Amino acid sequence: MSSGLLRRNARLRKEYLYRKSLEGKEAEQYEKKRKIRKALEEGKPIPTEVRAEEASLRREIALEDDNTAVPRTHIDDEYANAGVIPPKVLITTSRDPSSRLAQFAKELKLVFPNSQRLNRGGLVVKDLVESARAHEFTDIVVVHEHRGEPDGMVVCHLPYGPTTFFGLSNVVCRHDIGDKREVGTVSGAYPHLVFDGFSGKLGERVKCVLRHLFPAVKQEEAAKGRVMTFANHGRDDFISFRHHAYAKGKEGHGKDGVELTEKGPRFEARVYQIRLGTLTDKHSENEYVLRAYINSSKKQRLDDGGDS
């Protein structure tokens, strides 16, 4: 990579970190303006803690619109181009993968539209990230294994992060679900996404990471019947992934009936770390880390709807 491109990436990263450092101050200002708005709407005196700044804050309130009234976060910067530029996902494995891990990576390519699979070879992580940036990939997905069984997946969003680490279990590949006649081929249509049990703050964050791996469904794609489900059931925050094709009005299911066919693969995933940075930013801040031995009432959960 040229020195000019390296300097540009370093400058963009510094700008992003600077904007992120301003979040605390912006949130504090937002809270002060919220108190002033509330007092004016209810006809009450301005709270004493904001009276010294009342004049300047009221000028800012008068100039705000719907886009500037709510403070931006680093998440807005990370996914600023989402929806404008379709995601482009690079899928690869850890080094020297087993045949089962290589097969799982091939099947993930069928899951994510607009994705490309790369044979890792001897490529180091730094070169992998720089190459993905240079070819304008939006995300890198790296799958890992233990004794020939896929057991981990890392999703790295480019160019700034975040990097989300998932532990995988109960991985079932397409050929394990059924023979080729039962499973059939996989459509290239953009899938409908179903997220269940992601109402908590952590859940919304993980949902954001997963959702932006897929392009928005086009109107003409809506009838092609491909759906992917991310379901979080229970208190352990395991995400069940299922990939189905559906057909309406099939024989034996009635006019309004729907026939579901599982396409695979399927697996259970659990988030154990979210890091604010890419795979190469080893010392970046941790946004979330799963702590095994911690009071369950203090744990962040994907779904706030359940019992703590």
Side-chain angles (χ1 to χ4, degrees):
M1 182 177 288
S2 67
S3 59
L5 191 55
L6 286 173
R7 286 195 298 270
R8 178 178 177 273
N9 287 336
R11 175 176 56 80
L12 291 174
R13 177 69 183 165
K14 286 179 181 178
E15 288 176 0
Y16 164 69
L17 291 175
Y18 173 70
R19 289 195 299 273
K20 183 178 177 298
S21 70
L22 297 177
E23 282 182 23
K25 297 176 183 177
E26 290 177 357
E28 186 179 347
Q29 286 292 96
Y30 173 75
E31 183 61 23
K32 289 178 180 178
K33 286 186 278 190
R34 188 192 65 80
K35 290 179 180 179
I36 291 177
R37 282 197 200 94
K38 185 178 179 181
L40 293 173
E41 289 171 1
E42 297 176 355
K44 294 180 179 179
I46 301 297
T48 54
E49 62 268 26
V50 295
R51 284 181 186 172
E53 302 174 70
E54 179 187 356
S56 61
L57 290 173
R58 288 182 73 163
R59 280 197 299 273
E60 290 182 22
I61 291 171
L63 295 170
E64 286 177 344
D65 57 20
D66 293 340
N67 293 325
T68 57
V70 179
R72 288 172 58 86
T73 69
H74 63 277
I75 298 175
D76 296 322
D77 285 329
E78 289 166 354
Y79 294 99
N81 294 324
V84 179
I85 301 173
K88 185 179 174 184
V89 182
L90 177 65
I91 299 171
T92 189
T93 64
S94 53
R95 292 190 195 178
D96 194 21
S98 65
S99 59
R100 182 165 173 78
L101 185 68
Q103 179 63 31
F104 181 57
K106 289 179 183 178
E107 296 185 5
L108 284 181
K109 183 182 182 300
L110 301 177
V111 169
F112 302 116
N114 302 337
S115 63
Q116 295 181 28
R117 186 176 64 88
L118 174 71
N119 290 327
R120 177 73 177 271
L123 201 62
V124 297
V125 171
K126 183 179 178 182
D127 293 339
L128 177 68
V129 173
E130 289 178 354
S131 177
R133 277 202 189 109
H135 290 87
E136 298 183 339
F137 283 93
T138 60
D139 296 270
I140 301 173
V141 174
V142 184
V143 286
H144 300 271
E145 65 182 340
H146 178 67
R147 294 185 176 180
E149 188 65 27
D151 74 334
M153 180 173 71
V154 182
V155 179
C156 174
H157 185 66
L158 299 176
Y160 308 123
T163 300
T164 309
F165 298 81
F166 296 89
L168 301 183
S169 58
N170 302 327
V171 175
V172 179
C173 294
R174 279 167 49 79
H175 65 269
D176 296 324
I177 293 174
D179 59 35
K180 194 170 183 179
R181 185 180 301 174
E182 292 174 351
V183 177
T185 58
V186 176
S187 167
Y190 293 172
H192 293 274
L193 301 179
V194 177
F195 289 92
D196 184 28
F198 289 80
S199 62
K201 185 177 179 182
L202 176 62
E204 288 292 338
R205 180 59 158 154
V206 174
K207 179 181 174 181
C208 181
V209 169
L210 295 173
R211 180 165 55 88
H212 287 106
L213 293 172
F214 299 87
V217 179
K218 299 176 183 177
Q219 191 64 35
E220 58 268 23
E221 301 272 351
K224 294 188 178 178
R226 192 180 178 205
V227 60
M228 295 187 184
T229 307
F230 296 89
N232 167 42
H233 296 146
R235 299 181 58 200
D236 292 328
D237 284 343
F238 281 96
I239 303 167
S240 298
F241 171 77
R242 299 293 184 270
H243 175 199
H244 291 89
Y246 66 86
K248 295 181 180 179
K250 293 284 273 189
E251 185 178 348
H253 294 271
K255 182 180 177 182
D256 298 323
V258 176
E259 181 186 13
L260 276 179
T261 305
E262 185 172 3
K263 295 295 184 180
R266 67 170 179 251
F267 54 82
E268 316 297 321
R270 193 182 195 188
V271 181
Y272 63 87
Q273 185 180 7
I274 302 176
R275 198 165 66 202
L276 296 177
T278 63
L279 283 166
T280 55
D281 300 325
K282 299 297 183 184
H283 302 291
S284 54
E285 179 185 350
N286 284 324
E287 181 177 334
Y288 167 78
V289 178
L290 176 66
R291 307 290 185 188
Y293 303 102
I294 190 171
N295 187 335
S296 61
S297 64
K298 296 180 181 178
K299 280 185 180 179
Q300 290 190 62
R301 297 198 179 278
L302 295 177
D303 188 8
D304 281 348
D307 296 328
S308 300

